[in-house]
Amino acid sequence: MTAQLNRRILLASRPVGDIKDSNFKSESVPVPEAGPGQILVRNLYLSLDPAIRGWMNDADSYIEPIAVGGVMRGGTVGIVVASNAPDYSVGDHVFGMGGWQDFAVHGPEGMPNKLPEGTGLPWTNFLSVLGITGLTAYFGLLDIADPKPGETVVVSTAAGAVGSIVGQIAKIKGCRVVGIAGADDKCKWIVDDLGFDAAINYKTQDVAKELRKACPNKIDVYFDNVGGDILNTVLGMINIHARISICGAITQYNATAPVPGPSNYLTLLTKRSTMQGFVVLDYQARFMEGIMQISQWLMQGKIKHREDIVDGLENAPKAMHKLFNGTNTGKLIVKIADA
Amino acid sequence: MTAQLNRRILLASRPVGDIKDSNFKSESVPVPEAGPGQILVRNLYLSLDPAIRGWMNDADSYIEPIAVGGVMRGGTVGIVVASNAPDYSVGDHVFGMGGWQDFAVHGPEGMPNKLPEGTGLPWTNFLSVLGITGLTAYFGLLDIADPKPGETVVVSTAAGAVGSIVGQIAKIKGCRVVGIAGADDKCKWIVDDLGFDAAINYKTQDVAKELRKACPNKIDVYFDNVGGDILNTVLGMINIHARISICGAITQYNATAPVPGPSNYLTLLTKRSTMQGFVVLDYQARFMEGIMQISQWLMQGKIKHREDIVDGLENAPKAMHKLFNGTNTGKLIVKIADA
């Protein structure tokens, strides 16, 4: 290796409420070396996701919190630059949890996934529509909620990276799809470009009233990324045997006090319905199935998607805010180095 | 028929909050006659259940509200006194929704179920452990939550008609069972007589603290009849793949303002867990399976139960209060006439 340095961004302190600059710390250290059975990967692209906010808390969750003083966790696409592992060659592109840094050592356990070369698709797609984002939409909608033709599916954060794909998959499945988003241009995009049947701007419209109009047959499936009032409103409008897929709760991640739960949860009883949470990492064994199916839909033009690419690892902390203040459209990705 | 009268208790007005005497009205009318295909049944016993409180509201639910001016709805065991239906003979005992009255006409649709004669069991058992109550416990626990040997099952209203059977079935299935009840003698009963592993008095003890002690391996299954703070506390202590069976929410039935929902619902995501409501009437096709299995357990002495029998139809309105003020133990039944 040359005397190159490894820039990395650490968790300096756990945020209370909104993320602040002081929660992060940057440093440059020598590039690590690949030990026996390991590979060294140069990270090219970093995925920024709402879930990262949860990992910054010292809370019992589905994954260990990021340690204070540790490198920020995140999914990455990178290129192998040194390999002591038989199945990986220099030049291979891989997807893994490379973190907020220029270089990552992987292995011998938890090796990253090799990505197919020569597909013609931009590498960023493996962090968006063909990555965890697309897979979250795929399994969270189809495995948890299993929508049937003619059913009404409501999606929150509908113009977001996950929500926009959820809605399009629901359309492919023959459902009536209503999206909730936070800006008129987002609402226009999901209806005009993505084919949603209706969209509601929760910032300017009365969500309950608009949902009643947009869902004349009430709601069979709700894919929730926000929690809070909207979840509660939807619970008040579900049909018998409705399925609510809990993917996230943006309204809670930065909260400093408990957010009220859905007081309408008892419709789960009166409507014999189910509210189920999921974590996409549990579907690892079926990722290939999801990627194959989504690729096919992509090639058939049945799924469209957008990426919001921020240049420079050093801009990752600031870019995180975009996930919570409604300013990003499409999958948020940080470009660390040229592919 | 003789010039006998049919006493009946009507819903005079919809209650706001707690039930009041003025919500009921009594009247005596001529005994109705059985038309073509119908039967006339003399009601012997009336089941009083928390669900009736819900039917008194003008709310969208799993069943039509009781009409103002209509006869109060309720499950009954009765005896056929006149029959124009080929499968029913005078003297047959039947279970059906006979309502709060001396006589009911059934049919030709929605005929009541004939009960087996000569079992030696009191007829009241078909309103309690072998009735909707026992079936609610059976399907709500086994079908919705499917507890596995070694798992920890928590039950609220554990000394109640449903909860006490839920806990005993969970013990039969090899689970660790923790009950939550509202009086020391109830707690003593479920542990000493019913074999629960532990009991918590939510009125005098710190539920969160006691649950942590009583559930060293956390909670896999929760059978909920109360909602409110206890549901929220349990959600904060669930294991991965936990199942929460929503049977009812006593804390909500008399509420005049929305009861806060469970702010911890997001553990459904982090723990990939499910919260599912059910209505026992959906299992009608499988009632015989449930009754057979529970009878067997009863005969083997594996299930014990108590009945709280109030004498006289005229006392039904007052008796309803016992379901909400914690003073009844065992299944609440009103005796209308001698068997």
Side-chain angles (χ1 to χ4, degrees), chain A residues 105-177:
Chain A
V105 167
H106 296 271
E109 314 234 306
M111 294 294 279
N113 291 92
K114 285 169 75 165
L115 297 175
E117 308 286 333
T119 62
L121 295 169
W123 293 113
T124 50
N125 281 13
F126 293 97
L127 294 179
S128 62
V129 65
L130 295 176
I132 291 297
T133 304
L135 293 167
T136 298
Y138 182 86
F139 291 108
L141 179 69
L142 298 183
D143 203 69
I144 302 289
D146 192 18
K148 299 285 186 295
E151 288 193 323
T152 298
V153 175
V154 173
V155 188
S156 60
T157 63
V162 172
S164 61
I165 296 172
V166 167
Q168 292 176 88
I169 296 177
K171 284 306 298 178
I172 291 169
K173 294 293 174 183
C175 302
R176 175 171 179 81
V177 179

Side-chain angles (χ1 to χ4, degrees), chain B residues 161-232:
Chain B
V162 172
S164 61
I165 297 172
V166 167
Q168 292 177 88
I169 296 176
K171 284 305 300 177
I172 291 169
K173 294 292 176 186
C175 302
R176 176 172 178 80
V177 179
V178 178
I180 302 172
D184 286 343
D185 61 334
K186 292 181 178 181
C187 287
K188 191 171 153 47
W189 179 60
I190 62 177
V191 171
D192 293 352
D193 292 359
L194 305 189
F196 282 49
D197 295 287
I200 298 168
N201 181 338
Y202 73 90
K203 289 193 179 159
T204 61
Q205 295 185 288
D206 177 333
V207 174
K209 192 174 140 195
E210 297 302 319
L211 272 178
R212 277 192 294 273
K213 274 198 272 181
C215 307
N217 299 321
K218 296 200 174 175
I219 298 164
D220 302 293
V221 168
Y222 178 49
F223 189 97
D224 190 30
N225 260 310
V226 300
D229 288 340
I230 294 179
L231 171 59
N232 201 45

Side-chain angles (χ1 to χ4, degrees), chain B residues 4-18:
Chain B
Q4 216 172 354
L5 288 175
N6 182 27
R7 294 174 302 159
R8 38 189 221 179
I9 298 177
L10 313 179
L11 178 65
S13 59
R14 300 204 184 279
V16 178
D18 292 338

Side-chain angles (χ1 to χ4, degrees), chain A residues 151-338:
Chain A
E151 288 193 323
T152 298
V153 175
V154 173
V155 188
S156 60
T157 63
V162 172
S164 61
I165 296 172
V166 167
Q168 292 176 88
I169 296 177
K171 284 306 298 178
I172 291 169
K173 294 293 174 183
C175 302
R176 175 171 179 81
V177 179
V178 177
I180 303 172
D184 286 343
D185 60 335
K186 293 181 179 183
C187 288
K188 191 171 152 48
W189 180 60
I190 62 177
V191 172
D192 293 352
D193 291 359
L194 305 189
F196 282 49
D197 296 287
I200 298 167
N201 181 339
Y202 73 90
K203 288 193 179 159
T204 61
Q205 294 185 289
D206 177 333
V207 173
K209 192 174 142 194
E210 297 302 320
L211 272 177
R212 277 191 295 272
K213 274 197 270 181
C215 306
N217 299 321
K218 296 200 175 176
I219 297 165
D220 301 293
V221 168
Y222 178 49
F223 189 98
D224 189 29
N225 260 311
V226 300
D229 288 342
I230 294 178
L231 171 59
N232 201 44
T233 299
V234 169
L235 277 166
M237 295 181 57
I238 55 175
N239 281 321
I240 284 179
H241 298 141
R243 290 86 67 199
I244 297 178
S245 179
I246 302 290
C247 177
I250 288 257
T251 55
Q252 297 211 348
Y253 295 155
N254 291 321
T256 50
V259 173
S263 59
N264 283 334
Y265 85 97
L266 209 52
T267 57
L268 294 178
L269 188 165
T270 55
K271 299 298 183 187
R272 301 88 146 155
S273 292
T274 303
M275 184 153 81
Q276 185 170 0
F278 73 98
V279 171
V280 69
L281 301 178
D282 292 344
Y283 292 91
Q284 213 137 9
R286 292 175 57 195
F287 276 5
M288 200 45 64
E289 166 204 329
I291 291 173
M292 298 285 285
Q293 178 60 81
I294 300 170
S295 313
Q296 198 183 356
W297 287 331
L298 260 184
M299 289 186 293
Q300 295 169 338
K302 291 183 179 170
I303 286 194
K304 297 177 185 172
H305 71 111
R306 294 200 289 206
E307 294 173 350
D308 180 355
I309 300 178
V310 172
D311 199 40
L313 176 62
E314 65 281 8
N315 293 318
K318 277 202 172 42
M320 275 295 285
H321 292 291
K322 298 179 80 170
L323 295 170
F324 300 101
N325 64 15
T327 57
N328 95 296
T329 48
K331 178 67 188 91
L332 187 60
I333 293 171
V334 173
K335 180 178 171 183
I336 299 178
D338 280 314

Side-chain angles (χ1 to χ4, degrees), chain B residues 292-310:
Chain B
M292 298 285 284
Q293 178 59 82
I294 300 170
S295 313
Q296 198 183 359
W297 286 331
L298 259 183
M299 290 187 291
Q300 294 170 338
K302 291 184 179 170
I303 286 193
K304 297 175 185 174
H305 71 112
R306 293 199 290 206
E307 294 174 350
D308 180 356
I309 300 178
V310 172

Side-chain angles (χ1 to χ4, degrees), chain B residues 39 56 68 110 129 150 156 160-161 189 245 278 304 306 310 318 336:
Chain B
I39 60 175
M56 296 170 81
V68 172
V129 65
S156 60
W189 179 60
S245 178
F278 73 98
K304 297 175 185 174
R306 293 199 290 206
V310 172
K318 278 202 171 42
I336 299 178

